[in-house]
């Protein structure tokens, strides 16, 4: 079965550089979520998209932006990178709707290291 | 705001024994379901089990089961016959009840389970 695809898997950047993370959700899933997990922490919600429209925002810095494209893939753009942005970034997708149970399937994550 | 409490930062269990990981949550209403995810050292988040708030029976999925006490807002994960591969971080996350839109997860702080040979 197809899973959530994230690229790249690993990324090393210098301070003040920019980074773009990509996410390809499971086919027919209409919702994408981005989470950030710092070392030794639980994943924190950043932003979500439902049917290609931004749905909700969490603790996403103003230096970050994201969008979802017509093919449902999503990109997280990060500018002016700081050391504290070093983390594991997850993308998850789900099929929303009236069902009471919509499992979020997580991608393998992109490990970003800012030097 | 939701508050999710996992009171056990670390747990040890002997291989083949059962272990219970605690999770309580404080949400705005009782309609929330609850997910449990496993995160091994490799980093991926693996879905384990889901408990719906209106499910009359505790959820089970293979060696995983939930001890769900709705009134107490707790959904403890029970892993039976522990295996070495169960060593990982375990997160619980309440699942919001609204439909037709994104429902992001808020995770607890996690429990690091170590299975001893």
């Amino acid at each position: 079965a197809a899973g959530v695809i994230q690229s790249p898997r690993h990324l090393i950047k210098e301070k003040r550089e920019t980074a773009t993370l990509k996410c390809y959700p499971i086919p027919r899933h209409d919702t994408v979520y981005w989470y950030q997990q710092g070392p030794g922490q639980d994943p924190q919600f950043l932003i979500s998209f439902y049917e290609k429209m931004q749905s909700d925002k969490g603790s996403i810095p103003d230096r970050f932006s994201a969008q979802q494209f017509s093919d449902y893939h999503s990109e997280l753009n990060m500018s002016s990178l700081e050391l504290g942005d070093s983390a594991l970034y997850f993308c998850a997708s789900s099929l929303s709707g009236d069902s009471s149970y919509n499992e979020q399937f997580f991608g393998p994550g992109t490990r970003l290291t800012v030097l | 705001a939701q508050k999710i409490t996992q009171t056990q930062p670390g747990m040890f269990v002997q291989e083949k024994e059962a272990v219970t990981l605690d999770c309580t949550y404080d949400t705005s209403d009782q309609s929330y379901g609850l997910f449990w995810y496993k995160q091994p050292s490799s980093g991926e988040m693996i879905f384990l089990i889901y408990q719906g708030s209106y499910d009359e029976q505790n959820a089970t999925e293979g060696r995983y089961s939930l001890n769900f006490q709705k009134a107490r807002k707790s959904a403890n994960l029970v892993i039976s016959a522990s295996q070495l591969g169960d060593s990982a971080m375990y997160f619980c996350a309440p699942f919001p009840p609204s439909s037709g839109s994104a429902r992001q997860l808020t995770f607890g702080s996690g429990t690091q389970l170590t299975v001893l040979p």
Side-chain angles (χ1 to χ4, degrees), chain A residues 66-79:
Chain A
Q67 56 183 327
Q68 189 176 26
F69 295 86
S70 58
D71 64 350
Y72 288 89
H73 95 272
S74 178
E75 295 185 2
L76 178 66
N77 300 294
M78 311 159 71
S79 63

Side-chain angles (χ1 to χ4, degrees), chain A residues 31 33 35 37 41-45 48-50 55-57 88 90 96-108 111, chain B residues 35 37 39 41-47 49-50 52 89 91 95-110:
Chain A
T31 309
Y33 309 81
Y35 295 88
Q37 186 178 28
Q41 298 179 0
D42 56 286
Q44 296 289 316
F45 169 70
S48 60
F49 293 87
Y50 171 64
S55 177
D56 210 346
K57 289 181 75 170
L88 187 57
F90 286 107
S96 294
D98 293 333
S99 169
S100 62
Y101 170 21
N102 299 104
E103 174 192 345
Q104 289 189 21
F105 293 83
F106 280 74
R111 189 169 296 279
Chain B
F35 287 117
Y37 282 86
Q39 186 176 39
S41 58
S42 52
E44 69 268 33
M45 292 287 282
I46 302 168
F47 165 76
I49 193 168
Y50 170 78
M89 181 71 85
F91 292 101
F95 185 56
S98 60
S99 63
S101 63
R103 291 183 264 181
Q104 60 269 20
L105 299 178
T106 301
F107 292 88
S109 54

Side-chain angles (χ1 to χ4, degrees), chain A:
Chain A
V4 177
I5 298 171
Q6 289 187 249
S7 67
R9 294 291 307 277
H10 301 273
L11 189 59
I12 299 175
K13 291 286 186 178
E14 299 278 343
K15 280 197 312 183
R16 293 179 287 278
E17 286 190 325
T18 62
T20 297
L21 310 186
K22 296 185 178 182
C23 169
Y24 297 85
I26 292 172
R28 295 188 300 278
H29 279 193
D30 55 13
T31 309
V32 167
Y33 309 81
W34 285 97
Y35 295 88
Q36 176 193 55
Q37 186 178 28
Q41 298 179 0
D42 56 286
Q44 296 289 316
F45 169 70
L46 292 178
I47 194 167
S48 60
F49 293 87
Y50 171 64
E51 281 293 344
K52 293 167 282 185
M53 299 286 289
Q54 181 181 305
S55 177
D56 210 346
K57 289 181 75 170
S59 50
I60 183 169
D62 292 340
R63 299 177 289 107
F64 294 6
S65 65
Q67 56 183 327
Q68 189 176 26
F69 295 86
S70 58
D71 64 350
Y72 288 89
H73 95 272
S74 178
E75 295 185 2
L76 178 66
N77 300 294
M78 311 159 71
S79 63
S80 303
L81 287 170
E82 301 173 357
L83 296 179
D85 296 329
S86 295
L88 187 57
Y89 290 83
F90 286 107
C91 170
S93 75
S94 71
L95 182 62
S96 294
D98 293 333
S99 169
S100 62
Y101 170 21
N102 299 104
E103 174 192 345
Q104 289 189 21
F105 293 83
F106 280 74
T110 294
R111 189 169 296 279
L112 172 66
T113 302
V114 182
L115 302 176

